[in-house]
Amino acid sequence: MSTKTTTQSSPGSAAPQTGAALEISDTRTGTSYNIPIALSGTEGDTAIRTMDLRKIKETKEDFGLLSYDPAFMNTASCQSAITFIDGDKGILRYRGYPIEQLAEGATFLEVAWLLRNGELPTQKEYETWVHDITFHTYVHENIRKFLEGFRYDAHPMSMLCSTVAALSSFYPSAKNIFDKESRDISIVRLLAKVPTLAAFAYRHVKGLPIIYPDNDLSYTENFLSMIARMSEPKYEANPVFKRALEVLFILHADHEQNCSTSAVRAVGSSQVDPFSAIAAGIAALYGPLHGGANEQVLHMISEIGHPKNIPAFIDEVKSGKGQRLMGFGHRVYKSYDPRARIVKQLADDVFKETGMDKDLEIALELERIALEDEYFVSRKLYPNVDFYTGLIYRSMAFPTEFFTVLFAVARTAGWLAQWEEMLLDKEQKIARPRQIYVGPAEREYSSGLTNKAPRARKDSLRK
Ligand code: CMC
């Protein structure tokens, strides 16, 4: 069979400066294709454009070759200039700045500005940013009534997700997503109001009166005030707690294309308003394999109950019959999560203030055993950020169910930056993956039903 060679590249795909390409030979047809390695990132990531594969066809009518990648294990869905992770080396940087340096010296709102704008703010920009966010912390009173409709035991993530989605109805002009001014105010509103909604949800679950924002306080202090203030006229946050929350918010602010960020981008790509897109991110974060993991870590620790039970628990995890070791493992980090290192240090500071937590002993022992165990070592399973955050939050007296809400408050900064980057990216379109259909081939409809309008069984209806 003769071999033809065709050079394929999609419109707009920049040929790599090196001219590097894949030579692909299709054994079905004997045709060879030259697929440019069309993209390369700052830190050396390279990619082909998957659309270039479409030209690989068995017959003229053939749709073209698809790439199959469940869970996006090896697919870049965007080019992003926001966050860089090197999972093997344990590196995390926002806009080029190492997370360790930001956690040490920055404020959360400074980081939120950086994530969105790409550069650190000037003093004037920062003051305006802080002012604007502080100015918009109040929410419409109807939102409060809306919250009252939730049961006393509603999960705060459900409440946060619903109230953020509900905010979209209060700001119909937020739909003007291609208008910069409209995006500016929506971003400010979301950063300002998500902590308020989170705190309101907390007070609802606790059956405590709502505490309105105190705009004399900083972002994290005000949040703590809305959570914890009782009858005192002015709330003063414990400085260790205030600092811990600031650092935890910075650590959680962004993490490139994780499940919830991908949800925000995918939902946002339909050009819906940002309140709805962020609500989708909150829903994704709620899951136990994502932001819900910090809550699961504490459930797991209390189930273990005592350090002496750890070996049996680890054996169960390894057998695959029990639960996973929550707070361990990460899709991207195949070494120590750099955030977990910072959080572990932070835990020491907080525990000095609150006294040693009995469960910390179990956590430390779990970590020690897992880091030496062949099962975890060979699979490169290390503690992730969620392993210690729950212990810190609990020692600050946050209820377990509230941990993921704290994650969501911080991640709102990253979701918004990623949402806007997606919107302004000329290459992005509505997210719409392909599938490989494996269901039945065409067949004829022939119903076996004798009654097409049955009613619910009477014996199962409440009298
Ligand atoms: N405990 C025990 N075994 C594990 C764990 C764990 N935590 N994580 C992965 N494995 C095993 C898994 O069983 C598999 O083993 P095998 O090759 O024998 O089948 C192997 O490691 C690879 O696992 P995977 O499920 O293919 O890995 P993934 O990249 O799809 O999953 C993960 C990543 C985070 C979902 C997973 O590690 C996990 O479930 N961890 C526990 C939940 C958790 O802590 N999540 C928080 C993630 S960090 C916060 C965030 O960014 O959301």
Side-chain angles (χ1 to χ4, degrees), residues 71 73 252 255 258-260 284-285 287-294 296-297 314 317-318 320 323-334 337 339 375-376 378-387 407 411:
M73 297 285 286
H252 278 123
H255 213 230
N258 54 81
C259 176
S260 56
L285 191 72
L289 295 189
H290 192 8
N294 53 16
Q296 299 303 322
V297 170
I314 293 271
V317 168
K318 285 166 26 181
Q323 59 171 302
R324 286 186 164 192
L325 180 53
M326 300 311 286
F328 258 69
H330 200 278
R331 171 62 57 78
V332 179
Y333 293 119
K334 299 303 170 196
D337 181 337
R339 301 168 300 172
Y375 175 94
F376 299 93
S378 65
R379 288 169 178 77
K380 299 188 174 172
L381 300 171
Y382 292 86
N384 59 51
V385 68
D386 287 325
F387 193 65
F407 191 161
R411 186 54 61 84

Side-chain angles (χ1 to χ4, degrees), residues 60 80 169 177 186 190 290 315 333 401 448:
K60 251 188 168 170
S80 179
S169 70
I177 52 174
S186 291
L190 273 155
H290 192 8
D315 283 347
Y333 293 119
E401 287 201 326

Side-chain angles (χ1 to χ4, degrees), residues 137-199:
T137 47
Y138 275 63
V139 293
H140 194 289
E141 275 295 287
N142 284 359
I143 285 282
R144 195 182 149 167
K145 291 190 194 128
F146 180 81
L147 267 170
E148 279 165 13
F150 283 97
R151 278 172 52 130
Y152 69 95
D153 59 352
H155 196 289
M157 278 299 273
S158 302
M159 288 193 262
L160 186 67
C161 185
S162 324
T163 46
V164 170
L167 275 188
S168 137
S169 70
F170 289 80
Y171 303 109
S173 64
K175 288 185 175 66
N176 300 327
I177 52 174
F178 293 110
D179 173 55
K180 170 138 184 348
E181 258 180 56
S182 166
R183 282 201 308 278
D184 286 348
I185 185 67
S186 291
I187 287 173
V188 162
R189 281 189 173 129
L190 273 155
L191 285 167
K193 293 179 199 305
V194 166
T196 309
L197 297 174

Side-chain angles (χ1 to χ4, degrees), residues 59-78:
T59 62
K60 251 188 168 170
E61 298 71 43
D62 190 355
F63 181 75
L65 195 69
L66 296 175
S67 65
Y68 176 58
D69 187 10
F72 305 112
M73 297 285 286
N74 195 42
T75 294
S77 61
C78 61

Side-chain angles (χ1 to χ4, degrees), residues 175-237:
K175 288 185 175 66
N176 300 327
I177 52 174
F178 293 110
D179 173 55
K180 170 138 184 348
E181 258 180 56
S182 166
R183 282 201 308 278
D184 286 348
I185 185 67
S186 291
I187 287 173
V188 162
R189 281 189 173 129
L190 273 155
L191 285 167
K193 293 179 199 305
V194 166
T196 309
L197 297 174
F200 281 15
Y202 173 92
R203 303 288 293 202
H204 176 80
V205 172
K206 290 273 176 188
L208 291 168
I210 296 294
I211 300 292
Y212 286 97
D214 180 342
N215 289 347
D216 287 337
L217 300 177
S218 74
Y219 193 79
T220 41
E221 266 178 311
N222 171 49
F223 182 61
L224 286 168
S225 161
M226 291 188 290
I227 293 281
R229 193 170 132 205
M230 296 304 287
S231 57
E232 64 272 41
K234 193 84 190 162
Y235 181 79
E236 272 183 44

